[in-house]
Amino acid sequence: MPQNVGATASKEVTLVRALGLFSGTLLVAGVMIGSGVYKKIIPMAQTGLSEGWILMAWVIAGIVTMLGAFNLVGLTSLTEESGGVYEYLRLSFGNFFSFLFGWTDFSIIGSASVAALAFMFAQTVNSIVPLPNPLQQWEAFNFGGFIYPFADAGIKILALAAIGIVTFINYRGVKEGGVVNNIFTSAKITGIIILIVLGITYTMPAGSTVAPVQASLPAGMPFLSALFAAMLSAFWAYDGWLDISFVTGEIKNPKKNVPLAILAGVSMAMLLYVLVNFAYLQVVPAATLATVQSNQIGAAVVAQKLLGNFGKTLIVTLILISSFGSLNAVLLAHARVYYRMAQEKFFFKNAARVHPVYRTPYKSIVYTSAWSCVLVVSGTFDLLTDMVVFASFIFYILLALAVLKMKQKAAITQKLVGYPVVQVVVIIFSLALLVNTIVTQPKQTATGLLLVLLGVPFYLFFKQKNKQQ
């Protein structure tokens, strides 16, 4: 099928190419540098790994992410349409696998990312000003023993309000959303650099003794399982590197700027992540972080030790900026996937509508926000983020296979870095992570797989509907 077939839902009004290379790079960094870099150090420490192996988990996850970025760069030459991964899989394997990605992105990856970031934003506000909990009497009510819809009601209400605000911003225009992202991303990068400098130059008080950052090599499957668990946390922090591909239709000179923005944004995030976690562990050792409650923010614990209550306030403010900025960027990007699906007649028809004044896929934005709100009510931060990472790696395998197929067919003509070794490594690593996650988190992965497979009857429904038309 030609790539523009079905793209007739809005002949009069189309998306506008308003984002350049700078905005594209900050979009990648803005999505990636969100909540994980501040929060995930505690669950990583609770795996029992030493400081050195925690840092190694960040490095390995960063390398795998960069290999995935190389995959995506190879596929960007296939099309200049919005939709990114959805389009690449459609052109490589046809409608079924592309729909399954789009459905999974809607039901888990994109919407759950919006929900998790909104939850993190509200949770951070709650750490400064305790929010009321109006539904506390029902907080024990649950589904399956891990979904508590009435728990943390005050936090969830504020999270829903945050989603409403970014929905309004992105409804009004992609340029407006891009400007907001540029401001927030620049602010949080500056804050992280300050935190890195303070942590690395930190001098322990006289009489204190903390073991230096070092790697000790445990042995056996428990260690491998702990390492994969730590990387699962790291991958949430790295998640979002492919989101710029979703807005290809609104990027200036996309075949040049999209690959450059991906590589620059991923490199920036990887460098900052490794350095800031090194700084964390210089100030507070892993054994101490492991004793902190999971709902606490690791970066705030470190900042409080560095600068007292002022430091805690400073880092909490930075987290508010980061989580809200990432929330805006994620909503901006993922809504374009469902817009492209609707153009291809594999999503609700009106999701392909472009606003006549604001030139945004406003219906798709509203659908994304609505389902994200449902996920906010249904889950907690770590449950949502683990589901996002698990579902994402299923499609990282398909992307690697798409590169191998399209390169063999000569649809990709440019030279690819590390081809075909990069693709093989990504496939093997992704399979290992998926298997480990299924074994260690059976309920969460079963929920994620169920949501993915629910896409099959929806695909058959849209396929039959298209035949009838």
Side-chain angles (χ1 to χ4, degrees), residues 48-68:
L49 295 176
S50 67
E51 287 88 348
W53 280 108
I54 290 173
L55 291 175
M56 187 59 69
W58 283 102
V59 171
I60 295 172
I63 291 171
V64 172
T65 299
M66 185 61 74
L67 295 181

Side-chain angles (χ1 to χ4, degrees), residues 68 120 130 136 145 200 255 259 302 314 344 359 403 415 424 436:
M120 177 65 176
Q136 188 173 6
I200 290 178
K255 289 193 175 180
V302 173
L314 185 67
E344 291 296 321
R359 306 284 289 275
V403 173
K415 184 177 180 180
V424 173
N436 182 78

Side-chain angles (χ1 to χ4, degrees), residues 70-300:
F70 288 148
N71 261 340
L72 200 67
V73 166
L75 292 167
T76 55
S77 63
L78 294 178
T79 179
E80 294 187 356
E81 295 283 353
S82 288
V85 175
Y86 172 81
E87 269 297 282
Y88 307 148
L89 293 178
R90 185 180 71 82
L91 294 171
S92 300
F93 300 119
N95 287 324
F96 177 73
F97 286 108
S98 63
F99 175 83
L100 209 57
F101 168 78
W103 168 261
T104 305
D105 191 79
F106 177 71
S107 62
I108 306 176
I109 300 172
S111 299
S113 295
V114 171
L117 288 163
F119 192 89
M120 177 65 176
F121 173 80
Q123 192 179 48
T124 306
V125 172
N126 186 60
S127 70
I128 307 172
V129 182
L131 298 170
N133 191 6
L135 304 178
Q136 188 173 6
Q137 62 269 35
W138 296 307
E139 65 181 3
F141 179 80
N142 68 86
F143 296 101
F146 65 101
I147 296 176
Y148 292 82
F150 301 118
D152 300 316
I155 292 174
K156 290 178 178 178
I157 290 169
L158 181 57
L160 298 178
I163 291 174
I165 292 170
V166 296
T167 299
F168 176 77
I169 292 171
N170 284 280
Y171 188 100
R172 301 274 299 182
V174 67
K175 187 174 181 179
E176 287 76 2
V179 169
V180 169
N181 178 69
N182 291 351
I183 294 170
F184 277 79
T185 302
S186 299
K188 60 189 174 184
I189 289 174
T190 302
I192 290 175
I193 291 173
I194 292 171
L195 192 59
I196 290 169
V197 172
L198 289 174
I200 290 178
T201 59
Y202 172 73
T203 303
M204 289 181 294
S208 299
T209 57
V210 177
V213 174
Q214 58 183 356
S216 57
L217 180 60
M221 287 306 293
F223 162 68
L224 290 177
S225 183
L227 183 62
F228 273 111
M231 285 191 288
L232 196 66
S233 292
F235 278 122
W236 163 251
Y238 282 111
D239 187 64
W241 51 271
L242 47 68
D243 285 17
I244 189 177
S245 71
F246 302 151
V247 296
T248 299
E250 292 156 284
I251 298 287
K252 300 172 184 175
N253 193 7
K255 289 193 175 180
K256 175 185 175 183
N257 288 337
V258 171
L260 289 175
I262 291 169
L263 296 178
V266 170
S267 299
M268 185 189 306
M270 182 179 175
L271 177 63
L272 291 173
Y273 286 174
V274 174
L275 288 177
V276 79
N277 279 276
F278 179 83
Y280 292 160
L281 296 168
Q282 286 290 94
V283 178
V284 182
T288 302
L289 288 170
T291 64
V292 179
Q293 292 182 353
S294 297
N295 62 352
Q296 296 295 306
I297 299 166

Side-chain angles (χ1 to χ4, degrees), residues 22-46:
F22 178 75
S23 292
T25 301
L26 288 187
L27 179 61
V28 176
V31 174
M32 293 177 70
I33 305 172
S35 56
V37 68
Y38 309 108
K39 186 173 172 63
K40 287 297 186 179
I41 186 63
I42 288 178
M44 292 175 81
Q46 289 173 343

